[in-house]
């Protein structure tokens, strides 16, 4: 179990793009996009892109963001 605490996802499916940008900052978004290559995510109506919590947490752990 991870020691990193992320905010609750805004979507039923996970983290919206807006949330991911707030968690990571704009500078890390290209690296996050690279991390997401060949991984599934959801297009959820008005929320747009939504990323599964596991993938966001895994990226944060690997990037050592605390």
């Amino acid at each position: 179990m991870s020691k990193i605490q992320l905010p609750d996802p805004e979507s039923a499916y996970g983290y919206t793009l807006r949330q991911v940008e707030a968690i990571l900052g704009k500078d890390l978004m290209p690296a996050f996009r690279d991390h997401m290559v060949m991984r599934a995510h959801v297009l959820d109506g008005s929320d747009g892109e939504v990323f599964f919590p596991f993938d966001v947490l895994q990226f944060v752990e690997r990037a050592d963001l605390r």
Side-chain angles (χ1 to χ4, degrees), residues 34-51:
D34 288 346
H35 172 77
M36 289 302 298
V37 170
M38 302 300 294
R39 295 176 188 241
H41 66 283
V42 176
L43 295 177
D44 185 23
S46 63
D47 285 331
E49 290 180 281
V50 176
F51 303 92

Side-chain angles (χ1 to χ4, degrees), residues 1-62:
M1 180 140 186
S2 179
K3 295 177 184 177
I4 296 173
Q5 294 292 318
L6 296 177
D8 291 334
E10 291 177 355
S11 168
Y13 300 105
Y15 292 98
T16 63
L17 179 59
R18 178 179 57 254
Q19 279 188 293
V20 173
E21 288 175 342
I23 292 166
L24 302 180
K26 298 244 184 226
D27 291 344
L28 284 177
M29 286 305 295
F32 178 72
R33 291 287 189 187
D34 288 346
H35 172 77
M36 289 302 298
V37 170
M38 302 300 294
R39 295 176 188 241
H41 66 283
V42 176
L43 295 177
D44 185 23
S46 63
D47 285 331
E49 290 180 281
V50 176
F51 303 92
F52 295 116
F54 172 82
D55 293 317
V56 176
L57 179 60
Q58 185 180 60
F59 181 82
V60 169
E61 288 174 337
R62 290 180 178 176

